[in-house]
Amino acid sequence: MAAISAQLASFKSFSSLLNDKKCSRFRSQIKSFENQHSNWSVEFLSGKESVHLIRNSSPSISMAASVAGSAVKPAKKVCLFYCSETEVLAKRIAAESDAIELRSINWRTFEDGFPNLFIHNAHGIRGQNVAFLASFSSPAVIFEQLSVIYALPKLFVSSFTLVLPFFPTGTSERMEDEGDVATAFTLARILSHIPTSRGGPTSLVTFDIHALQERFYFGDTILPCFESGIPLLKNRLQKLPDSDKISIAFPDDGAWKRFHKQLQHFPTIVCNKVRIGDQRIVRIKEGDATGRHVVIVDDLVQSGGTLIECQKVLAANGATKISAYVTHGIFPKSSWQRFEHDNGGQPEKGLTYFWITDSCPHTVKEVKCKRPFEILSLSGSIAAALQV
């Protein structure tokens, strides 16, 4: 603006010419603008008309700006509901994006213990993109959440997304003996019958499902979106001071099949279990742990027995540090207490880090601020998935 004022000041000597009744014009190109691709003209008109600044932009620049502007996709507004267990994670997700708005539900019960539920401002979500953040931590809470999950798409919403970070029946996905019940298939069928919204089938977002073939358990009325927590681990490993000495260990062939493609730029170690009499012993199948900070990677942990056996064999084979990562830290009966901190580089005694995500809220509460545990939040990944 200072440049414009300076240019206009130079024309004050012509004011006497503009006071007569005749129309006078003076045109001057201003070259002091930062954008040298635009021509500006100053036009003086007689009478009571004001001074006009006219910008003659380059057509190619204007077109490029228009194309660039049209390429920016506006954020999709999402109304996010949640259960009591996932409240903390829901708030983290909402903090990731202004496009995500938290909505509440009254989780009450009748005297007989059955759910008495109420969705606040049900009329206000008509025509909106709606999501529900679930946690099926126990059979006791599944029914009340399913009641809400089945109700939300029928409130004339534009689309509905179910975020279930941990698919809890994933380890029971096949029959080995006649009479076995594959409860993963049962839960998949239940979720496949969620009513369609105005926008079509429900989208299901889940992380590191135990067996990839479980995607075929879902029907055509639901769209499963399988995400992974491994990118969070990779980002964390890059920040370690010894990031150039990291090797990845898989406790069995199943973990290698699930994750090796995402971690292929790290040296890898594959372990397996061998049976000797009545004992199962973990051994290194391939790879070298000598002088390395070895990170054991798997999708979930329950009692933790296999991880502890892996730790022992890796320490015995020369690992200088041992850490672990699992997406889902289940730890029934507080089995997380079995894992000790290494107290500064004693891999035979414990772990340097044990990374888990916040897919299992109960575990997060128990291990918070307890070494060697460190929580990697799925909030950013979920916020991004809600924009798909």
Side-chain angles (χ1 to χ4, degrees):
M1 293 303 296
I4 297 175
S5 299
Q7 291 284 342
L8 293 180
S10 66
F11 295 114
K12 288 183 178 179
S13 60
F14 296 98
S15 59
S16 59
L17 297 176
L18 301 179
N19 288 331
D20 60 9
K21 300 299 182 180
K22 297 180 181 180
C23 178
S24 301
R25 297 176 184 269
F26 183 86
R27 184 175 296 272
S28 173
Q29 186 179 23
I30 300 175
K31 297 183 178 179
S32 59
F33 286 99
E34 293 182 2
N35 185 356
Q36 299 297 329
H37 297 284
S38 299
N39 292 326
W40 289 77
S41 298
V42 181
E43 187 170 357
F44 291 90
L45 300 177
S46 66
K48 297 181 179 181
E49 294 188 55
S50 58
V51 175
H52 298 281
L53 295 177
I54 305 170
R55 182 188 181 191
N56 304 314
S57 300
S58 170
S60 60
I61 298 297
S62 300
M63 183 176 295
S66 176
V67 171
S70 63
V72 179
K73 184 179 179 180
K76 181 173 70 175
K77 299 291 184 180
V78 178
C79 299
L80 178 62
F81 291 88
Y82 53 91
C83 63
S84 300
E85 291 180 19
T86 58
E87 181 177 1
V88 174
L89 178 55
K91 290 179 178 179
R92 287 177 179 166
I93 296 169
E96 295 283 344
S97 172
D98 293 335
I100 299 175
E101 178 184 351
L102 294 184
R103 298 296 184 93
S104 60
I105 296 171
N106 275 357
W107 299 94
R108 304 168 299 188
T109 57
F110 292 107
E111 292 183 359
D112 61 0
F114 276 84
N116 177 17
L117 310 170
F118 181 75
I119 300 171
H120 289 280
N121 193 20
H123 286 281
I125 63 173
R126 290 185 174 183
Q128 302 296 314
N129 299 299
V130 172
F132 180 77
L133 180 61
S135 176
F136 291 174
S137 59
S138 71
V141 301
I142 292 179
F143 177 68
E144 64 178 10
Q145 292 183 54
L146 283 175
S147 299
V148 170
I149 291 167
Y150 273 56
L152 286 172
K154 300 171 72 173
L155 295 176
F156 294 94
V157 301
S158 178
S159 68
F160 180 64
T161 301
L162 171 61
V163 182
L164 182 62
F166 173 48
F167 191 75
T169 57
T171 56
S172 181
E173 85 281 4
R174 64 182 183 272
M175 294 175 56
E176 294 184 353
D177 294 313
E178 188 66 29
D180 283 343
V181 177
T183 52
F185 181 55
T186 305
L187 183 57
R189 285 198 294 176
I190 291 173
L191 298 180
S192 296
H193 285 82
I194 297 173
T196 58
S197 66
R198 293 177 64 186
T202 293
S203 299
L204 168 66
V205 177
T206 193
F207 287 81
D208 290 322
I209 199 164
H210 185 68
L212 291 178
Q213 65 265 24
E214 291 177 31
R215 69 172 66 239
F216 303 110
Y217 290 175
F218 296 92
D220 294 337
T221 54
I222 191 168
L223 303 174
C225 178
F226 297 106
E227 299 285 348
S228 178
I230 294 297
L232 297 175
L233 172 64
K234 291 167 68 174
N235 290 337
R236 183 66 183 92
L237 294 181
Q238 290 174 359
K239 298 176 182 178
L240 295 179
D242 57 352
S243 59
D244 58 332
K245 296 182 179 180
I246 298 292
S247 291
I248 302 296
F250 301 106
D252 52 39
D253 289 332
W256 179 84
K257 290 178 182 177
R258 276 188 292 272
F259 297 125
H260 80 279
K261 289 184 178 179
Q262 297 185 70
L263 297 164
Q264 59 186 350
H265 60 289
F266 290 100
T268 58
I269 301 167
V270 182
C271 301
N272 65 353
K273 294 178 182 179
V274 295
R275 183 181 294 276
I276 300 178
D278 294 334
Q279 292 184 331
R280 283 189 174 183
I281 299 176
V282 175
R283 291 182 174 176
I284 294 179
K285 179 181 176 181
E286 60 181 78
D288 185 8
T290 304
R292 307 293 291 180
H293 180 176
V294 181
V295 180
I296 308 169
V297 174
D298 209 347
D299 62 321
L300 59 84
V301 59
Q302 299 248 17
S303 67
T306 299
L307 289 182
I308 290 175
E309 291 302 316
C310 282
Q311 173 209 334
K312 291 179 179 178
V313 72
L314 291 168
N317 281 269
T320 55
K321 292 181 182 179
I322 301 172
S323 297
Y325 166 85
V326 296
T327 304
H328 311 296
I330 305 168
F331 295 118
K333 299 180 180 179
S334 298
S335 58
W336 57 269
Q337 296 178 353
R338 301 179 63 183
F339 293 90
E340 302 288 340
H341 187 249
D342 66 1
N343 293 320
Q346 295 177 298
E348 69 281 356
K349 294 185 177 181
L351 300 175
T352 303
Y353 299 99
F354 197 144
W355 294 290
I356 63 173
T357 74
D358 45 6
S359 65
C360 299
H362 285 311
T363 299
V364 172
K365 290 182 180 179
E366 290 187 351
V367 306
K368 187 177 180 180
C369 300
K370 293 182 174 65
R371 301 175 76 179
F373 293 96
E374 186 176 301
I375 309 301
L376 306 179
S377 181
L378 294 171
S379 57
S381 302
I382 293 174
L386 291 178
Q387 290 296 315
V388 175

